[in-house]
Amino acid sequence: MHDDSSAWAAPGPTAVDHRVSGHAQPPAPAVSLRASGASRVADTIFKGVSGATGVLILVVLAAVAGFLVLRAWPALTASPDELAKISWMNGQSLLEYVGPLVFGTLLSAILALGLAVPLSLGIALFITHYAPRRAAQALGYVIDLLAAIPSVVYGLWGALWLAPVLDPIFRWLSDTLGFIPLFAGYTAPARNVLAAATVLAVMIIPIITAVSREVFFQTPVLHEEAALALGATRWETIRMAVLPFGRSGLVSASMLGLGRALGETMAVLMILSPGYLFSFFLLKPGQHQSIAANIAAKFPEASGLSVSVLIATGLALFVITLAVNMVARWIIARRAEFSGAN
């Protein structure tokens, strides 16, 4: 019986005999020792540059801290009689002067964070899980453009447009909830800590949203598909898979926004000028602002010991910002350890 198996075995590319066809067998690629040595040199150079950059960051941080301590030392060691010669100290000690500034800075930044984080979280989730692709791209561009607007523009917007809009709301709060010290004694214009916090919230929303959006995009698809396969709704999938995965990223984004709010100068200065003291939601004229805004307002007319006083307030802001970042890193590390343990 005739065997036709050879007719069904079509020769593949590996079946071609190069000696018969007259073509020489191509040599196998060899590893170039020269290229390997060049790669090792490039790795060594990159490692050295990266390490030097990290050390440079620490050196710059130490230099800034040393400068602030050195220049603030005259104010830290000055006697009450010497500080009394500064007109805008109003006979206060350095601690009494810095205390309201620290309180105002923290209060405005925390209120801004409280307003911005829920909005940023909602925007990021909408862009990543709900919006159509074109709408998500357009909204992402708009959010990114908000980060490019100068703080002076935000300050003008808050002082000229937002304050008149918020004035009826603050009057209603004062009239309705005036028995609570938090809302008592409102006086126009609506240039108070809540107005400043609202502007700061608008300023930090792009930062928190952009970071949160990128973190949510990195959620493993298999986690989301597994939740959907078990019958979870879209919101349940976000709650069980997306939010736990992106929690540390959301904390990092919030701390970045908080750092921006703590150090913001011009927007707060333009809303709260000419000098309002933070008294919960209400402000009284003729006193102080946040640390950064107060430095910007007082520095042009400062000289001698008064410059040291302002730098001492800057040192307090430096310590606050450093503490906030250290706490954020600790929270992220603890969550990473908790996730690894589980």
Side-chain angles (χ1 to χ4, degrees):
M1 190 171 172
H2 179 238
D3 186 7
D4 292 332
S5 60
S6 60
W8 295 97
T14 57
V16 178
D17 190 350
H18 294 284
R19 292 174 297 178
V20 176
S21 62
H23 297 286
Q25 181 75 20
V31 178
S32 175
L33 295 178
R34 182 177 301 175
S36 178
S39 299
R40 286 197 294 268
V41 172
D43 290 341
T44 303
I45 294 175
F46 179 76
K47 181 180 179 180
V49 172
S50 301
T53 305
V55 173
L56 180 61
I57 294 174
L58 296 177
V59 171
V60 171
L61 183 64
V64 171
F67 166 80
L68 291 174
V69 172
L70 182 64
R71 295 298 302 271
W73 190 254
L76 296 174
T77 58
S79 64
D81 294 336
E82 292 175 329
L83 294 175
K85 297 177 182 179
I86 302 175
S87 59
W88 34 265
M89 289 287 291
N90 298 321
Q92 297 173 316
S93 66
L94 184 61
L95 184 60
E96 292 172 341
Y97 179 73
V98 176
L101 296 176
V102 172
F103 171 74
T105 302
L106 293 175
L107 180 61
S108 60
I110 292 173
L111 286 175
L113 196 66
L115 293 173
V117 169
L119 292 175
S120 301
L121 178 61
I123 295 171
L125 289 176
F126 178 75
I127 291 175
T128 55
H129 290 83
Y130 287 94
R133 177 167 299 181
R134 290 186 178 180
Q137 290 178 348
L139 185 58
Y141 293 147
V142 171
I143 293 297
D144 293 339
L145 286 175
L146 286 176
I149 298 177
S151 59
V152 175
V153 176
Y154 281 112
L156 289 173
W157 170 72
L160 301 179
W161 184 85
L162 184 63
V165 171
L166 293 178
D167 183 72
I169 300 175
F170 293 155
R171 288 185 182 277
W172 180 84
L173 288 174
S174 182
D175 295 339
T176 306
L177 304 175
F179 59 92
I180 303 176
L182 193 65
F183 304 104
Y186 170 73
T187 56
R191 294 187 176 187
N192 52 32
V193 64
L194 188 56
T198 303
V199 175
L200 290 176
V202 175
M203 296 178 68
I204 65 177
I205 279 175
I207 300 174
I208 303 176
T209 301
V211 177
S212 302
R213 178 186 61 195
E214 297 304 320
V215 171
F216 294 155
F217 271 133
Q218 302 302 320
T219 305
V221 178
L222 291 178
H223 292 186
E224 299 184 37
E225 291 179 348
L228 292 173
L230 292 174
T233 63
R234 182 175 297 184
W235 163 244
E236 291 172 339
T237 301
I238 291 173
R239 183 169 56 86
M240 293 186 297
V242 178
L243 292 180
F245 176 82
R247 187 178 290 115
S248 60
L250 181 61
V251 173
S252 301
S254 302
M255 293 303 103
L256 286 175
L258 180 59
R260 170 72 186 276
L262 287 172
E264 180 53 42
T265 302
M266 291 308 300
V268 178
L269 178 62
M270 297 175 71
I271 294 173
L272 301 182
S273 65
Y276 288 82
L277 171 68
F278 291 93
S279 176
F280 295 101
F281 286 99
L282 310 178
L283 304 175
K284 298 179 181 179
Q287 298 177 6
H288 306 300
Q289 305 154 328
S290 67
I291 292 177
N294 182 71
I295 293 175
K298 297 292 194 306
F299 197 81
E301 61 186 34
S303 62
L305 184 60
S306 59
V307 175
S308 298
V309 171
L310 294 178
I311 294 178
T313 63
L315 178 62
L317 181 59
F318 178 82
V319 172
I320 292 171
T321 306
L322 187 63
V324 166
N325 282 276
M326 292 177 64
V327 170
R329 296 301 305 173
W330 177 78
I331 293 174
I332 294 172
R334 286 295 300 272
R335 291 192 179 278
E337 293 176 2
F338 180 78
S339 300
N342 290 338

